[in-house]
Structure formats: C-alpha cells, structure tokens
Amino acid sequence: MPRKPKMTDEERRAYSAKMRGELEAVMDRAYGAMVGSEEFWAAVMRTAANLTHPDRDDRSPTNCIAIAAQCPNATHVLSSGDWRKVGRFPAKGSTSLRIWTPIKRRTEDAQEATAAAPDGGQREAAGEAAESQGRKVSGFKAGPVFDISQTDGDAYEPPAAAPFAAEVIRDVLVNQYRDQYHEDPEQAGGFDFTQDAPDNAVRILLYGHAWRRIPEVDAPLPGQHAAEVASAAHVAALILGIAPGPAVMPPLAGIITQDKKPPVHESAVRAIETGRAIARAVTTAAEHRRELAVTG
C-alpha cells in the first residue's frame, strides 16, 4: 500500500488552522453547556478526576473540559504514539479527540549551544541536550488523542495508586485540618466523626477543606462559592475512591465579560485544581503513614 504523501508547509498550516478552529468551536459549545446543564458540569468534574494520574502529568482543566465535550465517559487518554508504546492503537474508524498541546520552539541559547559544538557526535549530543533543556512554549495547537475506549490491541490496565480505606482518609483529613487551619473540625462544625460512617465523614471533611482553600472573593456571585466548593470536594472524592457528594453547577449563565474565556472557565479551573490538590495532599500523607506502618 503506497504511503500517504507528506503535506507541504502550506497544507500543514491550513490543516492546523482547521483543527484549531474545530477545537475552538468545541470549547465554545462546552462553555455554553457548563452553565446550562448540571449533567455536563458533573461530566467535566468526573473527567478531571479520571484524568488525574499517579504516574504522569494530569490533563489540564482546559483539556478536561475539551475531552468531556467530545467523550464524556473518557477514562484514560493518550496520543496514538503513546498508545502504541503499550501495545494498543486507535481502533479502525475511531475519530481522535482534540486537545490543546504546547508548541515548543528552541531558544536562542539552545541554538547557539548546538552551533558552537564540534562536528560529529558532540554536536549531535549537544543538539539532544538543547532539545530537552532549551525549548519554551510559544503557543498551543489542537493535537489528537484517543481514549482507551477508542483503541484496540493488547490488554492494558492503566496504572492506579493502591486505594486507602475511608477510615485512613478520614484521619488524614482531620489531622490536616488541625495542622493547616489550627481548628478542630469536629468542634468547629459540631461533628463527631467517630459516630459517622467513614465515607460520610470524608465527604464532610473534603467539603470543609475545599471551603477553606477556595477564597470567597474569587467567586463573588451568590451561590458560586458554595457550588465551586461542592464540585472541588466531588473531584477529590472521586480521585480518592470515595462515593462523592454532588458536583454543583455554578450560577454563571448569562454572565458576559470582556475576557476571552468566560467566567465559567475560571470557576471550573478552581474546582478542579482545588479538588486535585486536596486529593494529592491526602494521598501523600496516607502513603507516608503506610510506609511507617510497614517499617514498624
């Protein structure tokens, strides 16, 4: 079968512009849905939790929005090249998802370092070093990725952190609350977590942590702060393997600003980043406790 001819520079630019336009249209539709559909807002939060990884960088909140709009049940997203590294490949007839990927250009220092190196192997080595250290992001383009549901090939189990018991997560959250906010969460909220189901105690504590982490000044509309807090707690619970409380859509429908991105974008970013930060802190502390228990 003859190889597909390579695109010219002009064709490549036209294709890139087309893909970018399509992704921008996806984002516009997603932002509209995020202020009009509680179900889609929850899908964005779920996608963000699913694409929080123990073994590599998380997908950005913006890309979580893009992926949720194209594949709301996505659980594990990689480029076709990365899928092939684990023995899988895009299934015949599958359509790639589009996300924002960085455009990296070599800095002047990197170019000078390569040019100054002697000929032969040293120049090649200098070039490789410059490639890894001398690149900076100059913008973003629309790049293709695939969810695991869109692939075929070898059996593959995505890396996952060992789960923690709800009792362990509860105790970690109580201790962190005392250390970070210098308050006892039971006294402050009138709770007795030893009398509560561990999962329920975790949900209450996650909400309390999110409330303290998201400044009310950043969510000025009535009801917006509580919605973001609930959504952040929802994301954290999903990451930690706890049945979550509701992900509440913020009351931002009809709000227009001069910013390129609508207010719901920043609202989603705060909820996702806060939920991830809480879950990451819990996981780190719980893993430390586990290591101490093993070493005795």
Side-chain angles (χ1 to χ4, degrees):
M1 182 176 178
R3 285 189 175 184
K4 186 177 179 180
K6 289 185 177 181
M7 288 189 289
T8 65
D9 288 344
E10 184 176 347
E11 289 172 334
R12 190 177 295 108
R13 284 192 293 269
Y15 178 76
S16 180
K18 178 176 179 288
M19 292 299 100
R20 183 181 182 89
E22 291 180 358
L23 181 51
E24 287 175 343
V26 166
M27 299 304 299
D28 288 342
R29 291 194 299 271
Y31 290 138
M34 287 169 71
V35 296
S37 168
E38 195 95 40
E39 182 179 352
F40 182 68
W41 174 267
V44 171
M45 298 299 113
R46 181 179 66 248
T47 300
N50 288 339
L51 302 183
T52 302
H53 307 293
D55 63 320
R56 56 193 172 85
D57 291 342
D58 303 331
R59 296 295 179 184
S60 71
T62 300
N63 279 334
C64 289
I65 295 170
I67 291 167
Q70 299 168 85
C71 185
N73 295 311
T75 59
H76 198 71
V77 173
L78 295 172
S79 67
S80 59
D82 285 339
W83 277 123
R84 286 189 170 87
K85 290 177 183 177
V86 296
R88 296 186 70 83
F89 49 87
K92 185 177 181 180
S94 60
T95 301
S96 64
L97 312 176
R98 297 288 166 176
I99 64 170
W100 296 109
T101 59
I103 301 170
K104 294 184 178 181
R105 302 190 187 281
R106 293 180 66 184
T107 63
E108 292 182 4
D109 289 345
Q111 293 174 359
E112 291 174 359
T114 304
D119 289 339
Q122 290 185 13
R123 176 170 291 180
E124 184 177 349
E128 291 177 357
E131 287 294 316
S132 61
Q133 299 177 11
R135 284 180 171 267
K136 65 179 181 179
V137 175
S138 61
F140 291 86
K141 63 181 179 180
V145 292
F146 295 85
D147 181 56
I148 189 171
S149 64
Q150 299 175 292
T151 64
D152 285 329
D154 298 342
Y156 176 72
E157 192 67 32
F164 298 101
E167 293 86 349
V168 172
I169 298 173
R170 176 200 62 199
D171 294 345
V172 167
L173 285 167
V174 168
N175 289 333
Q176 289 178 335
Y177 203 99
R178 291 169 178 161
D179 293 342
Q180 293 171 16
Y181 314 127
H182 308 294
E183 289 183 18
D184 188 303
E186 292 184 308
Q187 292 180 359
F191 301 109
D192 182 356
F193 293 130
T194 60
Q195 301 300 314
D196 231 328
D199 280 24
N200 192 47
V202 169
R203 284 188 287 272
I204 294 169
L205 286 160
L206 289 174
Y207 190 93
H209 275 271
W211 186 278
R212 300 298 294 265
R213 283 175 177 256
I214 297 178
E216 291 189 63
V217 69
D218 290 340
L221 290 183
Q224 183 183 352
H225 181 254
E228 291 182 13
V229 167
S231 295
H234 180 92
V235 171
L238 287 174
I239 295 171
L240 294 169
I242 299 293
V248 181
M249 181 179 70
L252 292 170
I255 305 298
I256 299 173
T257 68
Q258 294 181 343
D259 295 335
K260 186 175 181 181
K261 293 174 182 174
V264 72
H265 171 85
E266 292 304 323
S267 190
V269 169
R270 275 192 296 272
I272 292 169
E273 290 185 342
T274 301
R276 283 175 165 175
I278 293 170
R280 191 175 298 115
V282 169
T283 300
T284 299
E287 286 176 346
H288 183 62
R289 285 177 51 150
R290 180 185 282 165
E291 290 170 0
L292 291 177
V294 170
T295 57

